[in-house]
Amino acid sequence: MPLLVVGLGNPGSEYARNRHNIGFMAADVLVRRHSFGPWRSKFQGEIAEGTIGGDKVLVLKPQTYMNLSGQSVAAAARFLKIAVDDIVVLHDELDIAPGRLKVKRGGGAGGHNGLKSIDSHLGQNYRRVRFGIGHPGDRDLVTGYVLHDFAKADVDWLVPVLGAVADNFAMLTAGDDAGFMNRVAHLTAPPKPPKKEKPPTTEKMGEQAAAPAAEPSPPTGGSLADALKAAFKNALRKKDE
């Protein structure tokens, strides 16, 4: 039984870089990284076919606009005879910090209109890869926030996350959701700052100051040592004279 992976977003170039379209972005990277076949217009969406980890995978981007995503997903699932258990939906998540993601099966839509539409057609027992985009802090600002382009600074976390998801997607197709989450988190974690050396204590500084300085010892070999010996002999000879 193939896996149906659904990236959620809105069609059209004006929405292409919106936060709400991170599902489309993830779908595009997945198809490119695994050398899928070309996108084809079908099931009120665009669909591409390939294999990941030896498993057949179909990637769908509904072109119905977000609020009607369920129409496209249901049409594909019915025609291809794919069970709801074998559907994975990639979508944006306000309640997760930017650059983080979680995988879960079932649960509510959390106000996400794309998920609401899928729920109404197929129920809730599908897996979701929830890409964190952060929250604007005010419920009244949510619509404008999700329909606004990612900021330039977001590229620093967005590109690594999309790449890590695509490169390790075989863990999801194998059902290892926890391992997949841990792997992506590990690959996209910010580098730890170097440990700062502790400054010496007052007592230690006092000990260092009180310690007698080591007297330099003359060299015992080499051209410099030979020159010093010669100079010392000359000094003794002059003294005897």
Side-chain angles (χ1 to χ4, degrees), residues 71-95:
Q71 293 180 5
S72 174
V73 180
R78 282 195 299 267
F79 183 85
L80 299 167
K81 296 180 173 57
I82 296 176
V84 178
D85 289 357
D86 294 319
I87 297 175
V88 177
V89 178
L90 316 174
H91 67 90
D92 56 304
E93 178 60 64
L94 288 164
D95 295 328

Side-chain angles (χ1 to χ4, degrees), residues 47 102 131 139 148 186 191 195 199 207 225:
I47 194 164
K102 292 184 180 179
F131 288 85
R139 188 170 59 183
H148 193 278
H186 172 72
K195 290 183 178 180
E207 291 175 358

Side-chain angles (χ1 to χ4, degrees), residues 55-75:
D55 296 314
K56 184 177 179 180
V57 177
L58 298 162
V59 177
L60 173 69
K61 295 190 298 182
Q63 301 295 296
T64 54
Y65 289 94
M66 187 69 79
N67 294 5
L68 300 175
S69 298
Q71 293 180 5
S72 174
V73 180

Side-chain angles (χ1 to χ4, degrees), residues 166-204:
D167 289 343
N168 295 279
F169 209 82
M171 299 178 78
L172 267 188
T173 63
D176 187 5
D177 296 356
F180 171 77
M181 284 189 287
N182 290 335
R183 181 65 176 161
V184 172
H186 172 72
L187 292 172
T188 58
K192 294 181 179 179
K195 290 183 178 180
K196 293 182 178 179
E197 293 186 5
K198 293 182 179 180
T201 62
T202 305
E203 181 180 355
K204 187 69 176 177

Side-chain angles (χ1 to χ4, degrees), residues 6-241:
V6 180
L8 294 185
N10 287 306
S13 59
E14 67 271 33
Y15 299 107
R17 292 183 59 83
N18 283 185
R19 293 183 177 93
H20 218 21
N21 270 43
I22 196 170
F24 271 15
M25 296 175 193
D28 286 334
V29 175
L30 190 64
V31 165
R32 286 199 302 270
R33 288 286 176 94
H34 294 278
S35 302
F36 275 37
W39 291 103
R40 295 176 292 126
S41 295
K42 203 169 184 180
F43 310 120
Q44 302 176 60
E46 293 182 352
I47 194 164
E49 182 178 328
T51 58
I52 299 177
D55 296 314
K56 184 177 179 180
V57 177
L58 298 162
V59 177
L60 173 69
K61 295 190 298 182
Q63 301 295 296
T64 54
Y65 289 94
M66 187 69 79
N67 294 5
L68 300 175
S69 298
Q71 293 180 5
S72 174
V73 180
R78 282 195 299 267
F79 183 85
L80 299 167
K81 296 180 173 57
I82 296 176
V84 178
D85 289 357
D86 294 319
I87 297 175
V88 177
V89 178
L90 316 174
H91 67 90
D92 56 304
E93 178 60 64
L94 288 164
D95 295 328
I96 299 176
R100 299 286 171 250
L101 65 79
K102 292 184 180 179
V103 179
K104 65 176 290 189
R105 182 182 293 278
H112 194 290
N113 289 330
L115 298 182
K116 286 181 181 178
S117 180
I118 296 173
D119 290 353
S120 68
H121 285 82
L122 296 170
Q124 300 177 338
N125 199 36
Y126 53 89
R127 281 188 290 170
R128 306 107 189 270
V129 179
R130 307 159 68 205
F131 288 85
I133 61 169
H135 198 287
D138 187 331
R139 188 170 59 183
D140 294 335
L141 300 176
V142 165
T143 300
Y145 179 76
V146 300
L147 293 178
H148 193 278
D149 287 357
F150 280 108
K152 287 184 179 179
D154 291 329
V155 174
D156 292 341
W157 63 260
L158 181 59
V159 171
V161 166
L162 294 177
V165 166
D167 289 343
N168 295 279
F169 209 82
M171 299 178 78
L172 267 188
T173 63
D176 187 5
D177 296 356
F180 171 77
M181 284 189 287
N182 290 335
R183 181 65 176 161
V184 172
H186 172 72
L187 292 172
T188 58
K192 294 181 179 179
K195 290 183 178 180
K196 293 182 178 179
E197 293 186 5
K198 293 182 179 180
T201 62
T202 305
E203 181 180 355
K204 187 69 176 177
M205 292 174 67
E207 291 175 358
Q208 292 174 347
E215 294 185 4
S217 57
T220 59
S223 58
L224 179 58
D226 294 340
L228 288 174
K229 288 178 182 178
F232 184 67
K233 287 180 179 180
N234 288 336
L236 289 177
R237 189 180 302 113
K238 288 182 179 179
K239 184 177 179 181
D240 291 341
E241 293 173 354

